[in-house]
Amino acid sequence: MIQSLAITHENEVVTNFPIEDYQSLKFKWAWIDFNKPTEIEIQHLENTFKFHPLAIEDCIQRLQRPKLDYYDDYSFFVTHVLRSNLIKEEMNFFIGENYIVTFHMDDSFEVNHVWNQIIKRQTIKKWDEYAVFYHILDKIVDHYFPFIYSIEDKLSAIENNNEDKMDALLEDLFVARHALLNLRHTIDPMRDLLYRMLNSHHLEGIRKRKEYFGDIYDHLLKLSEMVSSNREITSDIRDSYISINSHQTNKVMRILTIITSIFAPLTFIAGIYGMNFLYMPELNWRFGYLFAIGLMIVVSIAMYSWFKRKGWF
Amino acid sequence: MIQSLAITHENEVVTNFPIEDYQSLKFKWAWIDFNKPTEIEIQHLENTFKFHPLAIEDCIQRLQRPKLDYYDDYSFFVTHVLRSNLIKEEMNFFIGENYIVTFHMDDSFEVNHVWNQIIKRQTIKKWDEYAVFYHILDKIVDHYFPFIYSIEDKLSAIENNNEDKMDALLEDLFVARHALLNLRHTIDPMRDLLYRMLNSHHLEGIRKRKEYFGDIYDHLLKLSEMVSSNREITSDIRDSYISINSHQTNKVMRILTIITSIFAPLTFIAGIYGMNFLYMPELNWRFGYLFAIGLMIVVSIAMYSWFKRKGWF
Amino acid sequence: MIQSLAITHENEVVTNFPIEDYQSLKFKWAWIDFNKPTEIEIQHLENTFKFHPLAIEDCIQRLQRPKLDYYDDYSFFVTHVLRSNLIKEEMNFFIGENYIVTFHMDDSFEVNHVWNQIIKRQTIKKWDEYAVFYHILDKIVDHYFPFIYSIEDKLSAIENNNEDKMDALLEDLFVARHALLNLRHTIDPMRDLLYRMLNSHHLEGIRKRKEYFGDIYDHLLKLSEMVSSNREITSDIRDSYISINSHQTNKVMRILTIITSIFAPLTFIAGIYGMNFLYMPELNWRFGYLFAIGLMIVVSIAMYSWFKRKGWF
Amino acid sequence: MIQSLAITHENEVVTNFPIEDYQSLKFKWAWIDFNKPTEIEIQHLENTFKFHPLAIEDCIQRLQRPKLDYYDDYSFFVTHVLRSNLIKEEMNFFIGENYIVTFHMDDSFEVNHVWNQIIKRQTIKKWDEYAVFYHILDKIVDHYFPFIYSIEDKLSAIENNNEDKMDALLEDLFVARHALLNLRHTIDPMRDLLYRMLNSHHLEGIRKRKEYFGDIYDHLLKLSEMVSSNREITSDIRDSYISINSHQTNKVMRILTIITSIFAPLTFIAGIYGMNFLYMPELNWRFGYLFAIGLMIVVSIAMYSWFKRKGWF
Amino acid sequence: MIQSLAITHENEVVTNFPIEDYQSLKFKWAWIDFNKPTEIEIQHLENTFKFHPLAIEDCIQRLQRPKLDYYDDYSFFVTHVLRSNLIKEEMNFFIGENYIVTFHMDDSFEVNHVWNQIIKRQTIKKWDEYAVFYHILDKIVDHYFPFIYSIEDKLSAIENNNEDKMDALLEDLFVARHALLNLRHTIDPMRDLLYRMLNSHHLEGIRKRKEYFGDIYDHLLKLSEMVSSNREITSDIRDSYISINSHQTNKVMRILTIITSIFAPLTFIAGIYGMNFLYMPELNWRFGYLFAIGLMIVVSIAMYSWFKRKGWF
Ligand SMILES: [Mg+2]
Ligand SMILES: [Mg+2]
Ligand SMILES: [Mg+2]
Ligand SMILES: [Mg+2]
Ligand SMILES: [Mg+2]
Ligand SMILES: [Mg+2]
Ligand SMILES: [Mg+2]
Ligand SMILES: [Mg+2]
Ligand SMILES: [Mg+2]
Ligand SMILES: [Mg+2]
Ligand SMILES: [Mg+2]
Ligand SMILES: [Mg+2]
Ligand SMILES: [Mg+2]
Ligand SMILES: [Mg+2]
Ligand SMILES: [Mg+2]
Ligand SMILES: [Mg+2]
Ligand SMILES: [Mg+2]
Ligand SMILES: [Mg+2]
Ligand SMILES: [Mg+2]
Ligand SMILES: [Mg+2]
Ligand SMILES: [Mg+2]
Ligand SMILES: [Mg+2]
Ligand SMILES: [Mg+2]
Ligand SMILES: [Mg+2]
Ligand SMILES: [Mg+2]
Ligand SMILES: [Mg+2]
Ligand SMILES: [Mg+2]
Ligand SMILES: [Mg+2]
Ligand SMILES: [Mg+2]
Ligand SMILES: [Mg+2]
Ligand SMILES: [Mg+2]
């Protein structure tokens, strides 16, 4: 679907004009939105707007890296939108002299939100193509935060775990790391893109709104820091878990060894006097039984002292 | 609460003047402090001082990253204050031609300290808006140190641990790492902020006090180094703990295996001659018992030599 | 084999002319392709084209790093082609005023593809030596992707593993890491090479096609990111696997210790009363058997409560 | 204690003149040394030399980071001296037009050495304040080496360890890592300080002795490399130790399992025929005993082949 | 030993002239080689060539880092040569207006090779002091490769290991890592040295041979990549080994636990009915033996199902 919207020099809003006329009608500025366009609609990019084939290719292909390309009469921006389950979608912008073209392959409430704001809004004078760009980008980046917050909540849950569900929690930890890695591959290129936009000499429209785009850049810096900090927390949790576990295994090993060490000789002695040889003098001793029990006590105490001296208690 | 303080050109201290007059009264310089301001008081930022909406938004929102934004007539600084339990609070500064506005959402003894110093002080001539900024910032950064010192003390305690409380110490280690990560996210951006302040061409007032702000930067460099060095120590302790533990598990395993290896065949032999078969020739031998005992001794010695040769003793 | 192809100023395609005439025949531009050249054919590089001995040496030696060298009249490019099983082959380019020389030691379908396109193609006017270079390079880089995709598929399979084939999967993980390391040593230098090409002041022909070579650079950036991200995933999988395993070992240890702890004393008691001493008062007690069983029950319950209190169930 | 030394324009050495006169006496150059100064002596820094309060504060406080501050008429250097047991001490330098002030809180044989050299020396013409600075700094850095050499020796000892003292060696390894971390926090800032000194445009006296201070920088580069290389060796040793240990635990586990697997069923069979039931037909068989022994042999062989097939031998 | 060689302006080779005359004899260029010089020969560096004492000190001391120092009339280069067993030796170069001095403390076949080439060679016109420098350096760096290749071979052997010699292979792995670390400390500074040489504005002789020294730089880049890549492979092998081992330990643990779990209760039951109490009703039951056997079978099946349900088979 292609939608069009323009502001005349008299600050009136015009919608749904034929997009071929976006130049000839001499608007103050115009916005054409490609929302899940058909193959035929996509051809407008080439035929009507004369965009470069490589830029059009980047629109059509899934998941280019966020980036900025300068062409003679327009700039081309690729940005990433995060949808539920961390699915990434692309939002592409072409910004020319007095127009902006947005191109996206899924419904974008960010676009709808800004579109409706313009149509309803009194203060139409303040808007132009860069204002549209800023407001959509601001919304896109604002919606990165809930994804990180949800991961942070899961990590807090894992930190406060109770033993029983350990396997599930380790699985959760792995999933969280995967999600953070995924997020980083959206957030870090977006951050670098904003940095380039802020420091570019070609983008006068962004220069004039430096504090606005700078505010988005602040958000991306913060997001990027949150991602790496949370990844460090996950590896801290895992390493800490491994050392606790190795400590517990060691403790359990000691108990096992102590028990085996004490009972193995005792059971062996009992076994000896359980043998059925005809001639076993001890069996007939008056205090043979007491002697055997005494021997066992001596062995136990010797073992016990040995471990005590080794510091295993 | 909003407090105001100003120095006239005659070097007299004026307090609690109506803040709307901070310009018209032609002070030498003025300081307006927003301490836990109400919603209505916050509106002064926009209406009285005409600060940019994005800067005001940064004031109101919790925990912006430390940063510096230049606006036409003033600069805007976000800094982090550490409160007990490593809670972070924001301290925001607007510094204009001859005024400073401080904005914070919790009671700040740093602000109070400097405020009282000015009111009591003889040498009022030396003060101006950047001196106020410096002294508050110096106090803020000075109060980062106790947090690191306390972590260093805990790490020393862990290094000198005794076995008994190992689980608690591993937990402490994890907590220390978490705290250090937290601290780093305050200290490193603060350090970068000071670096930018020192090297900025826009901040004449800081340039003139280069050695003072440079002293704060020194502190932040040192803090930053302490944080990363302590994080390395924690991971050293953990890795070292894991290798000691794995060594001990190995030692305990060997003892367990030796005991099992020696007593399993002995107990088995005793078991054999404990069987109740009617026809077991050995049972009736004159020296059957001695034979069995002899067999056991031979087996023990064989096992012992085997382990000796394997180097397990 | 040496092939030659040239476009005359009348835009006609000439093939298989004697390569010694590539300059004297005054073509618009010419392409000479060395495909698995013999020793004698290689001597043309020196005798006919007068290329620098060091550049020729780089052609002949296997697996130079991807790189770009400027000489007076031509530039020399080394690039890497990936063949099945991640075998690396070199593709070398010499680009001069109005000619391009390609040099490769294995059959290159990339070269054949472009060669055929030129011969068949109507739009012969648009082609020149840099267009040839671009189209071959584009094909080369496009064919890096399947190698990464296949690794990503293997990693997905490993993530969704089932216990039985664990050893094989760990082996696969190791192989995947090795392959990724291998890929990185092709992709990262290729990326740096494209970066240098795009930012060089010597390569006018690339400057004029900035968007085309920039598109290849985009691909390489994305590839480089995929490689490092997949390497991180492999180490995540391995670390996660180790912590799950150490957790399971710990659980199994506990069960083993519980069983040993409960049955060792019981079997010992049974052993005691299996001894054959003549004088063992308990054996003759009316309720001796019940007493022994009772003793065993008491010991079991004591052990059970002890472990319960230790939280091992 | 404050010592003073000066060279007149006639190249005569003057010592112990009143330090207030260091300027008025018109020396060629002068050196004033503060060795463990008292509070009252420290006041000379402010009153006599008019040094900046922040520089004086840095002198008095323990363990500033090595650094360099430019003031209007002098430069201020903080450097670290290593004393036995890796205790760090500060050595501070103020270098002005024709004087040098050294300030240190412990006895410095570096200072004494250079002091004596000047007093005894014929070639007094070659010395000036920067020569003093160079010679002290050279001595300071030369004395970093023995600390690293001693750590390298310990690491060699650990590499060639014999099993018996493993716990002590792991402790040594941890101590060595700690010491290296400690050293790095002296050496790396010192290296950066020298780099800044060599590349500074303010320090004409260092520029003229570029090869001399460059020689110290070489030493620091080498030291820095040795520290990081030795830290890598320690982590190599530890990781290697862990994998050897985990391999040994695995081997010991197998032996334990084999023994248990073979003797548990055998002992169980012996136990069966050790039961005292009145009616057990096998007990009365003529070859019951042989049957039992045969059964045991069959079970042993089955177990043995099973493990053989599993590849555990 | 000191050797001398010079080319006259008539392109004649002169050897073994007195080195004091290297300037006065007005050669086109001269080469003086110090091969394992005596103390007295070393004094020529100071007395005849007037080299700087610090450069001479660097010659005499063992193992300076590879580096480049500019002096007024000459440049001084320190490079590393690798001898068998990865022993490092220094090769020092002084290059002045029309002479080169080489200084080395061991026999250098690189020097001999180039020396002989010049003496035998027809094309004497092409040589000068920088050509000598290039050819020696080229040889030095070419001889780094065999050391890496030998390590790569060992790593391949380790990857294809068979279980039996695991301890030896882990030791080999550690040795390989050590060797790689060692190599890196030669190769990386050499690479940085070549980079500096190529980008220096002081070294006209190198600038004119940019492609030649650039070829050496290519080799060093490749070597540096090989070293880090091989170090990554070693840590991959080790980590992979640890996870396989931990998996195997886990498997062995399970088998041990299963055997213990099944036989411990069975042996206990047999122990019960092996007791010699006078009054044990079961012993006199007609089917007491069958009852005991039945009880054992029930317990075995219960255990078996329990483990089956836990998924341990
Ligand atoms: Mg797209
Ligand atoms: Mg926003
Ligand atoms: Mg916002
Ligand atoms: Mg930029
Ligand atoms: Mg903001
Ligand atoms: Mg956080
Ligand atoms: Mg705020
Ligand atoms: Mg302070
Ligand atoms: Mg202070
Ligand atoms: Mg900046
Ligand atoms: Mg700076
Ligand atoms: Mg200070
Ligand atoms: Mg410290
Ligand atoms: Mg080649
Ligand atoms: Mg492509
Ligand atoms: Mg393409
Ligand atoms: Mg460049
Ligand atoms: Mg593209
Ligand atoms: Mg991906
Ligand atoms: Mg101090
Ligand atoms: Mg020295
Ligand atoms: Mg020296
Ligand atoms: Mg510099
Ligand atoms: Mg030196
Ligand atoms: Mg070394
Ligand atoms: Mg030397
Ligand atoms: Mg070479
Ligand atoms: Mg060569
Ligand atoms: Mg350079
Ligand atoms: Mg080459
Ligand atoms: Mg290779």
Side-chain angles (χ1 to χ4, degrees), chain B residues 55-288:
Chain B
I56 296 172
E57 194 191 77
D58 287 344
C59 282
I60 299 168
Q61 286 184 348
R62 283 214 69 224
L63 281 180
Q64 287 303 113
R65 273 183 107 245
K67 70 162 181 175
L68 151 58
D69 284 337
Y70 306 115
Y71 290 93
D72 285 348
D73 305 325
Y74 54 93
S75 304
F76 172 61
F77 302 83
V78 178
T79 68
H80 280 190
V81 182
L82 290 180
R83 296 286 174 242
S84 55
N85 294 320
L86 277 175
I87 304 288
K88 293 173 187 173
E89 297 291 340
E90 248 181 75
M91 173 74 68
N92 303 290
F93 301 87
F94 296 85
I95 306 185
E97 190 62 29
N98 54 1
Y99 66 91
I100 179 167
V101 172
T102 50
F103 184 103
H104 44 105
M105 287 303 201
D106 72 325
D107 266 320
S108 160
F109 73 83
E110 294 92 352
V111 163
N112 297 342
H113 180 88
V114 177
W115 192 278
N116 293 330
Q117 259 189 312
I118 297 178
I119 288 178
K120 292 188 200 139
R121 199 159 169 133
Q122 253 65 17
T123 59
I124 210 64
K125 288 185 203 173
K126 288 195 179 163
W127 287 80
D128 65 2
E129 67 276 16
Y130 278 98
V132 169
F133 184 34
Y134 162 69
H135 278 100
I136 296 177
L137 208 54
D138 182 51
K139 280 267 160 307
I140 288 175
V141 172
D142 281 354
H143 284 89
Y144 291 170
F145 280 94
F147 294 96
I148 291 235
Y149 291 150
S150 115
I151 292 174
E152 287 192 336
D153 291 350
K154 270 182 217 148
L155 290 183
S156 295
I158 291 174
E159 279 187 50
N160 309 323
N161 70 70
N162 47 348
E163 195 80 7
D164 296 331
K165 316 168 197 158
M166 185 55 76
D167 291 306
L169 288 172
L170 282 170
E171 179 66 25
D172 283 359
L173 203 61
F174 179 76
V175 169
R177 280 182 77 75
H178 214 310
L180 287 165
L181 194 59
N182 226 334
L183 270 172
R184 198 173 70 196
H185 285 294
T186 286
I187 286 168
D188 285 7
M190 286 294 287
R191 180 198 62 196
D192 299 344
L193 171 59
L194 261 290
Y195 182 82
R196 264 188 80 204
M197 281 163 54
L198 285 167
N199 292 70
S200 165
H201 296 282
H202 299 75
L203 300 169
E204 195 50 41
I206 285 169
R207 241 160 209 274
K208 283 193 298 191
R209 280 163 190 84
K210 209 174 170 133
E211 52 274 29
Y212 289 95
F213 287 96
D215 185 64
I216 299 178
Y217 180 56
D218 283 353
H219 283 34
L220 285 164
L221 268 183
K222 171 116 195 176
L223 282 162
S224 169
E225 220 169 50
M226 287 167 86
V227 166
S228 45
S229 143
N230 278 303
R231 259 187 84 85
E232 284 196 58
I233 289 172
T234 57
S235 73
D236 268 23
I237 294 178
R238 204 172 47 204
D239 290 352
S240 151
Y241 175 74
I242 289 181
S243 55
I244 286 173
N245 225 306
S246 118
H247 176 59
Q248 285 190 341
T249 302
N250 187 258
K251 277 201 314 193
V252 172
M253 277 305 305
R254 287 185 196 184
I255 293 170
L256 180 59
T257 307
I258 289 167
I259 290 166
T260 305
S261 303
I262 288 179
F263 282 103
L266 302 190
T267 303
F268 168 62
I269 292 171
I272 296 255
Y273 296 113
M275 294 193 296
N276 298 320
F277 286 103
L278 219 54
Y279 307 97
M280 284 180 72
E282 296 97 323
L283 295 184
N284 304 312
W285 291 358
R286 185 66 189 92
F287 297 102

Side-chain angles (χ1 to χ4, degrees), chain C residues 63 65 67 184 241 273, chain E residues 218 222 225 232 247 276:
Chain C
L63 281 179
R65 272 182 109 245
K67 69 161 181 176
R184 197 173 71 196
Y241 174 75
Y273 295 114
Chain E
D218 283 354
K222 172 115 194 174
E225 221 169 49
E232 285 196 56
H247 177 59
N276 298 320

Side-chain angles (χ1 to χ4, degrees), chain D residues 192-206:
Chain D
D192 298 345
L193 171 59
L194 261 290
Y195 181 84
R196 263 188 81 203
M197 282 163 52
L198 285 167
N199 293 70
S200 166
H201 296 283
H202 299 76
L203 300 169
E204 195 50 40
I206 285 169

Side-chain angles (χ1 to χ4, degrees), chain A residues 52-54 57-58 61-65 67 69 71 80 163-164 166-167 170-171 174 177-178 181 184-185 189 231 238-239 241-242 244-253 255-256 259-260 263 266-267 269-271 273-277 282-293 296, chain C residues 134 159 211-215 218-219 221-223 225-226 228-230 232-233 235-240 242-251 253-258 260-262 264-282 303 306-307 310-313:
Chain A
H52 195 286
L54 286 168
E57 193 191 77
D58 287 344
Q61 286 183 348
R62 283 212 71 224
L63 281 179
Q64 289 301 114
R65 272 182 109 247
K67 69 161 181 176
D69 284 337
Y71 291 94
H80 280 190
E163 195 80 6
D164 296 332
M166 185 54 76
D167 291 307
L170 282 170
E171 180 67 26
F174 179 75
R177 279 182 77 75
H178 215 311
L181 195 59
R184 198 173 70 196
H185 285 294
R231 259 186 85 86
R238 204 173 46 203
D239 290 352
Y241 174 75
I242 289 181
I244 286 172
N245 225 308
S246 116
H247 176 60
Q248 285 190 342
T249 301
N250 187 256
K251 277 202 312 194
V252 172
M253 277 306 305
I255 293 170
L256 180 59
I259 290 166
T260 305
F263 282 103
L266 301 191
T267 303
I269 293 171
Y273 295 113
M275 294 193 295
N276 298 321
F277 287 104
E282 297 97 321
L283 295 184
N284 304 313
W285 290 358
R286 187 63 189 94
F287 297 102
Y289 179 40
L290 279 183
F291 163 76
I293 297 288
M296 288 165 182
Chain C
Y134 163 69
E159 279 187 50
E211 51 276 27
Y212 289 94
F213 288 94
D215 185 63
D218 283 354
H219 284 34
L221 267 184
K222 171 116 194 172
L223 282 161
E225 219 169 50
M226 286 166 86
S228 45
S229 144
N230 278 303
E232 285 196 55
I233 288 172
S235 73
D236 268 23
I237 294 177
R238 204 173 46 202
D239 290 352
S240 153
I242 289 181
S243 54
I244 286 174
N245 225 308
S246 116
H247 177 59
Q248 285 190 342
T249 302
N250 187 256
K251 276 201 313 194
M253 278 304 307
R254 287 185 197 186
I255 293 170
L256 181 59
T257 308
I258 289 168
T260 305
S261 303
I262 288 178
L266 301 190
T267 303
F268 168 62
I269 293 171
I272 296 256
Y273 295 114
M275 294 193 297
N276 298 320
F277 287 104
L278 217 57
Y279 306 97
M280 282 180 73
E282 296 97 322
M303 285 290 181
W306 186 47
F307 291 132
K310 270 188 122 64
W312 285 14
F313 281 100

Side-chain angles (χ1 to χ4, degrees), chain D residues 134 137-139 141-142 145 215-216 219, chain E residues 57 61:
Chain D
Y134 163 69
L137 209 54
D138 182 51
K139 280 267 160 305
V141 172
D142 280 353
F145 281 94
D215 185 64
I216 300 179
H219 283 33
Chain E
E57 191 192 78
Q61 285 183 350

